[in-house]
Amino acid sequence: MDKLTFSTHIDQHSSVSKVSGEWRVRGLRGATTVSYNSIKAITEAVDELLDALEINNVLDSEEIVSVTFSATPDLDAMFPAAVARRRPGWDQIPLLDVQQMQVANSLDRCIRVLIHLNTPLPQNALRPVYLHRAAQLRPDIALLR
């Protein structure tokens, strides 16, 4: 069997530096809770969460790399990504829904989101959003609504 050979390509223009304003991929988190396991309730909750993330972070859909939603097992009326896909400019973004792992005494009816985006902002300039009962996940940064 042939051995695989890997060559190293060095590009002087792509060196990583600590210069402020350099574009990088960052992660933006958020979460919310849903009153009921229904299409209407999930749609309203996801729209509210994404609206709040966009308002607090000046998101441009062309800079979003991918979005992962997780939902607790008690939310199965619809996929959160289906709500996001209806947003202007979000139809070409790779979206994924996964089920949140079950942990004893954890928050129920909860939707979490992780948005990977290209941005010149440092990680600490991004504003995560935790709404409703999800505020207890990160009370230090939760938006009260």
Side-chain angles (χ1 to χ4, degrees), residues 36-83:
Y36 302 98
N37 180 29
S38 70
I39 291 172
K40 181 180 182 205
I42 292 171
T43 299
E44 289 173 356
V46 171
D47 276 336
E48 179 186 33
L49 177 60
L50 295 178
D51 286 345
L53 284 163
E54 285 183 340
I55 288 167
N56 287 282
N57 291 283
V58 191
L59 292 182
D60 179 347
S61 62
E62 295 204 12
E63 295 166 357
I64 298 174
V65 175
S66 65
V67 180
T68 302
F69 292 92
S70 70
T72 50
D74 50 5
L75 294 177
D76 62 4
M78 79 173 307
F79 293 108
V83 178

